Structure formats: C-alpha cells, structure tokens
Amino acid sequence: MQPIPSEPTQLVAHLFRHEAGRMVSVLTCMLGFDKLELAEDIVQDTMVMALRSWPFNGTPDNPSAWLYKVAKNRALDIVRREATLQKISSALAYEAEPTVMNEPLFHEDNFTDSQLRMLFACCHPSVSFEAQVTLCLKILGGLSVREIANAFLTTEETITKRLYRAKDKLRSESSVLAVPTGGQLTNRLDAVLHSIYLLFNEGYTSSHPDLLIRRDLSAEAMRLCLLLTDYPLTAQPQTHALMALFCFQAARFDSRLDETGAIVLLPDQDRTQWDQELIKRGRYYLSLSAQGDVLSPYHLEAGIALLHSLSPSFEQTNWTAILYYYNELYSLKPSPVVALNRAVAQAQTEQVAEALACVRQLDSLSHNQYYHAVLGDLYQKNGQTELAKHHYNQAIERTTSRAEQALLARKLDSL
C-alpha cells in the first residue's frame, strides 16, 4: 500500500482517488438513483472545500470522516433548496460515515453495500455492455478517462463519448438507474464482474506514471468480489473463479518490484516472497468455481495463474499446459490481448517463429506498449537485434509508466 500523504493538498488528491467513488455511491443511495450527477457534484464541491480549508485550518484528525460529514451536510442544503427534504429525510438520516462498511453487508433480498448497489444499478441493459463497464470504472472505481481508455485499449475520445452517451441515457430515463433484484441481478453479473476485473488489473499494472502497482485498487476489487461470493444470487462459478484469479495474482505483489521500485520480471522473482496463504485461498475459490457446468474466461485465467503459483521455478513452469489453457481461452474469448499472451506462451514452448507470425497479425494493438514490448522480446529471442531495438523504442514511446520505461531501457542496453 502506498503511504498516505501528510501535506494537505496531496492528501486531498489521495482521498479523492480513494474515497470519491464510495462517497458518490453512498450519496446516490441516499438521494435516489436519479440524483447520480448531483451526488458527483457534491463530492467534487466537498473536495474543493477541503482544498481551501485544510492548508489554512489544519488537517482534521479523521480526514475521511470530515469529507463524508461535509458531503452529507451539503446534500441536505441542496435538498432543502429543492423543497424535497420531507420526502427523503428518512433516507438521509442513514449515517454516511465510512464506518457503514462495518455493518452487515447483505440482507436476504438486497445489497446494503453502497458500491455494490451502484455497480448493479449502472449495469442496466438499456446501455451497451462497454458503456456499463465504463460507468462503473469512472463513477465507482474513480479511474480517469485515460486509465479507462488504457483498460479498453482504446482512445480517450472514445471513452469520453461513451460516458456522455451513457449518462445522457440515464438522465433521460431516470427510472433506469435502480438496484435490480432476482433474475435481473444475475443478468447484470457479467458486466459487474468485468468492471471489477478491469479495476483489479489497473491496480496490478497501473498506467500511473509513478505507481506501477496500486494495491488500493486491487484491494477494492477483491473486497467487492468477496462480497459477491457471499451473496446467494451472485455466488456463481464465474464469481468464485474471478476471486481465485485475484488471490493468485495478488500473492505475487511483493516480488514484482525491487527495493528501488524497479520491475522484477517473472523469471527473476523471489518465489519465497509469494504469499502462500493467498495462493491457498485461491485454490479454495477455484475448487468452488468447479461446482457447476460454467466455464468462463476467469476459470481459464485462474488456471494459468495457478500453474505459475505451483511451479517451484520459472524453468520448471509447465508451459505446455499454460499454452493449452491459452488456446482454450482464445476459443472462448478471441481477443487480441488473449492472442498476445498466448504468443508469449508459444515462445516459451520453442515456437518463436509461430509466436512472431501471430503477433504481427495483431495490427489493432499497434498503439499499445505491450504489443511492441512482446515483439521486441520475440525478435530478441529470434536473433533479430535491430527489429528488437525498434520495437523496444516503440514501447518506450507508448508507455506512461516510468518503471516500464526503465525496464525497456535495460532491455535495450542488454542488446
């Protein structure tokens, strides 16, 4: 976990990243789901008040609680002006402090966790699947447009337009934004799981220039997924498989960076640093995911992560089995990203030429740093040094992460 800043301006920015999504969720659940934009405005106003107040009056003893209290009071002021206080005063009486997270998380027929309620509310079938996930990442995950564009491997302009259209739809049909129940809940599960999956991924390999790993995002994704495994209607095989994947991936956090913050690649990681308790929990959730006839991409990705976790060394990794899983995953989800990862496994099974041929066909990824980094690795393995240099340079130009730039520069130096 990154240290919490002590300087007021930096602290407000830190809290905005970490608390804004939850604050919007809590306020929206109080005010009504048709007040989503109002809740967002209140949160932004609250952060501005903190920026103006804390540098001069001092930072409160409990900054998060201060933000929630001010936001709650701001909501009450606006409601009074709109002459609707009488209708929703009982809802606003609900305590809007961070401590609500410690209350029982589920009722028999409904969620009480504000963020889960908002996740399912945003995933309405009247907007596209991509728009549902984009809304979740922006409103609840607190990701920037650039970070969401990175997650979808698309442009910031595309994401901005997608957000505008989705919010316009919700604005024009206020009844759309509501918490579903029963079968409607399970119908929206795929979009919710994909949102949580992308949130974890942004934490696992962040596009932030100075933070390769954002454990706060990955921890929040794991928290939400864990809640879903406890609720009968959402404790589906794919939910357990996703939780297993998260556990296997999070188990390697401590070994992925050295003491200077430089990236440590998988062959060089100290496997004694891998969290065996998390790996054990991952195996537990993976066994639960096998109870049923559902085979989701999360099952296959968790299977790949398990094979890495069980291998005593990089050299002893069962790459043949991993390639088999990637072939199955590509059959289930034929995306360029899966094809790129499959090519990496192909190269590890002495199929470098085949891997190169595959990656060269992935023109849709030519703007992505990982596409060029993989090509650089493959050309280096194939003895084509000049082409390797070209693609490493292309990757450096396309990444905003300083840790990734440093890694790619080391690869260039090694040539």
Side-chain angles (χ1 to χ4, degrees), residues 333-365:
K333 188 175 73 171
S335 74
V337 174
V338 174
L340 187 67
N341 287 316
R342 183 179 64 172
V344 173
Q346 275 184 304
Q348 293 296 334
T349 59
E350 307 302 324
Q351 301 179 58
V352 178
E354 293 86 344
L356 270 169
C358 172
V359 176
R360 282 195 295 256
Q361 296 176 12
L362 304 176
D363 295 337
S364 62
L365 295 180

Side-chain angles (χ1 to χ4, degrees), residues 278-290:
L278 269 178
I279 292 173
K280 181 179 177 181
R281 289 181 65 188
R283 297 181 72 171
Y284 166 74
Y285 284 110
L286 192 57
S287 68
L288 290 180
S289 76

Side-chain angles (χ1 to χ4, degrees), residues 110-156:
N110 207 350
F111 296 114
T112 61
D113 181 88
S114 297
Q115 284 180 286
L116 278 180
R117 288 165 62 85
M118 276 297 295
L119 277 171
F120 279 92
C122 287
C123 293
H124 193 279
S126 67
V127 296
S128 69
F129 182 90
E130 291 80 7
Q132 293 170 28
V133 175
T134 300
L135 275 173
C136 291
L137 292 176
K138 184 70 176 77
I139 296 171
L140 296 157
L143 299 191
S144 67
V145 170
R146 179 177 57 80
E147 289 168 334
I148 298 172
N150 184 67
F152 278 99
L153 299 180
T154 188
T155 64
E156 294 182 37

Side-chain angles (χ1 to χ4, degrees), residues 63-80:
S64 294
W66 187 97
L67 293 174
Y68 278 83
K69 182 177 181 180
V70 170
K72 177 183 175 181
N73 290 339
R74 177 71 172 150
L76 282 165
D77 290 341
I78 292 173
V79 167
R80 289 188 185 102

